């Protein structure tokens, strides 16, 4: 009771891979030297490998939103018609970026907790044949909803438009076949399933997307895809990069390759299933039951409760930092993350912590009921038929 270890258990930043933290200590390195170029080349090759693509992958020293903005400012022109899928706060970010750069967006909005369906994307493309781009989140982190990007990609790839996917919490939590499905622009960020601190963003670009870069006329300077690509081909970044984070990324990419991207995804999906089972066993309701993401599980606070109470209890009693809702969802939901460097021991702890938090505030709880549901999923997956837990 008197010792509390801080545990950062949010859907970004996520828990850090220790090997990456150690690698950061070697960051007294100059970015225009062969030593650094070796690291940078390894990072670019490693990203392509874990993302499973031969497309160009670029790295930016910015948070994920920088790469989102770069996709808009480098691939489109003022007045371009685009279709934006918005199922939460990050979908709204696409809407805001598109508006900031003067794109003419058709908005496909889903109520918080629900996904935008691929049918709607297909219909919108039919209604707007001049559309130049379709924007979506693979995983909408604010609501815990996953989108069917494969089906959406099928619709987009039949058109002249490019498909721009914010996969910042989709990478490492759901299958994403960049070339097989036709994901023209895929955006990632360091502080999610890559298990390192915030400050790097990535972008994979298809040849179709590169064609857009040739004619796009929106202003941009810092985020210049063609300049970045020219430098990347020489093993360098356009500007001074975050060397410490690149060293961290190099280490974490080794780890992800060792684990295997498929297994990293499977890990998140298994934890997600267990998280859903755990909280529903306690009588709590899922916020996004129809198309739940494997990155994060959004849980409704009990009727009449402020979800902040549960979050505060976890922080004060156990040093566990979990996420509240964003925007109008604040106080209504709490979010249990399971992307990147998360394991079952983390989930046992969080679900047990939720049980204690509920009980401490008078919610009827049978201790162990939520944890037992998590254990059952673990046992099925890891112990097979032999599992005899009650
Ligand atoms: C975290 C996140 C982002 C990026 O946010 P930054 O704060 O700019 O790193 C974008 N989209 C989604 C879905 C995210 O989860």
């Amino acid at each position: 009771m008197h010792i509390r270890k801080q545990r950062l258990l949010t859907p970004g930043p996520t828990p850090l891979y220790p090997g990456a933290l150690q690698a950061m200590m070697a960051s007294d390195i100059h970015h225009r030297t062969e030593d650094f170029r070796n690291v940078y080349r390894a990072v670019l090759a490693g990203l392509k490998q874990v993302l499973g693509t031969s497309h160009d992958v670029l790295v930016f020293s910015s948070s994920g939103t920088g790469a989102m903005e770069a996709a808009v400012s480098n691939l489109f022109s003022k007045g371009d018609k685009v279709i934006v899928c918005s199922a939460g706060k990050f979908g709204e970010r696409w809407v805001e970026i598109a508006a900031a750069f003067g794109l003419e967006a058709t908005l496909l909005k889903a109520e918080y907790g629900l996904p935008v369906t691929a049918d709607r994307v297909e219909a919108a493309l039919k209604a707007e044949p001049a559309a130049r781009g379709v924007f979506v989140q693979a995983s909408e982190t604010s609501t815990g909803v996953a989108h069917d990007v494969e089906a959406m990609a099928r619709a987009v790839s039949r058109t002249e438009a490019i498909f721009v996917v914010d996969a910042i919490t989709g990478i490492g939590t759901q299958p994403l076949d960049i070339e097989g499905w036709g994901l023209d622009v895929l955006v990632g960020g360091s502080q999610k399933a890559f298990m390192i601190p915030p400050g790097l963003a990535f972008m994979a670009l298809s040849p179709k997307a590169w064609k857009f870069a040739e004619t796009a006329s929106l202003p941009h300077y810092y985020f210049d895809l063609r300049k970045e690509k020219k430098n990347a081909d020489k093993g360098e970044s356009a500007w001074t990069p975050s060397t410490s984070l690149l060293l961290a990324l190099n280490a974490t990419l080794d780890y992800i390759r060792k684990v295997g991207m498929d297994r990293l995804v499977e890990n998140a999906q298994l934890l997600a299933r267990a998280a859903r089972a755990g909280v529903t066993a306690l009588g709590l309701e899922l916020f996004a039951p129809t198309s739940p993401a494997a990155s994060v599980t959004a849980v409704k606070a009990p009727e009449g409760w402020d979800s902040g109470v549960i979050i505060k209890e976890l922080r004060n009693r156990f040093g566990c930092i979990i996420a509240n809702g964003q925007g109008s969802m604040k106080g209504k939901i709490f979010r249990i993350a399971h992307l990147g460097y998360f394991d079952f021991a983390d989930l046992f702890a969080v679900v047990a912590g939720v049980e204690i938090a509920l009980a401490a505030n008078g919610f009827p709880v049978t201790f162990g009921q939520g944890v037992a549901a998590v254990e059952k999923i673990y046992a099925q997956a890891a112990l097979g038929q032999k599992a005899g837990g009650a």
Side-chain angles (χ1 to χ4, degrees), residues 206-254:
S206 71
K208 187 177 173 186
W210 275 120
K211 278 255 159 46
F212 276 52
E214 286 165 18
T215 55
S217 63
L218 281 170
H220 53 260
Y221 184 78
Y222 183 78
F223 296 111
D224 184 328
L225 303 188
R226 288 198 289 173
K227 187 181 177 75
E228 207 56 70
K229 156 92 174 117
K230 221 158 84 191
N231 280 273
D233 287 344
K234 294 183 293 188
E236 294 188 10
S237 57
W239 321 113
T240 308
S242 175
T243 48
S244 55
L245 290 172
L246 286 160
L247 290 162
L249 183 57
N250 201 22
T252 201
L253 285 168
D254 277 345

Side-chain angles (χ1 to χ4, degrees), residues 283-294:
L284 299 175
E285 259 183 83
L286 299 173
F287 185 64
T290 47
S291 182

Side-chain angles (χ1 to χ4, degrees), residues 63-65 68 90 93 137 139 141 166 168-169 191-192:
S63 81
T65 307
M68 293 170 73
F90 292 102
R93 193 166 297 178
Q137 271 62 41
S139 147
T141 321
D166 164 3
I168 294 177
T169 55
Q191 79 274 30
K192 310 287 170 104

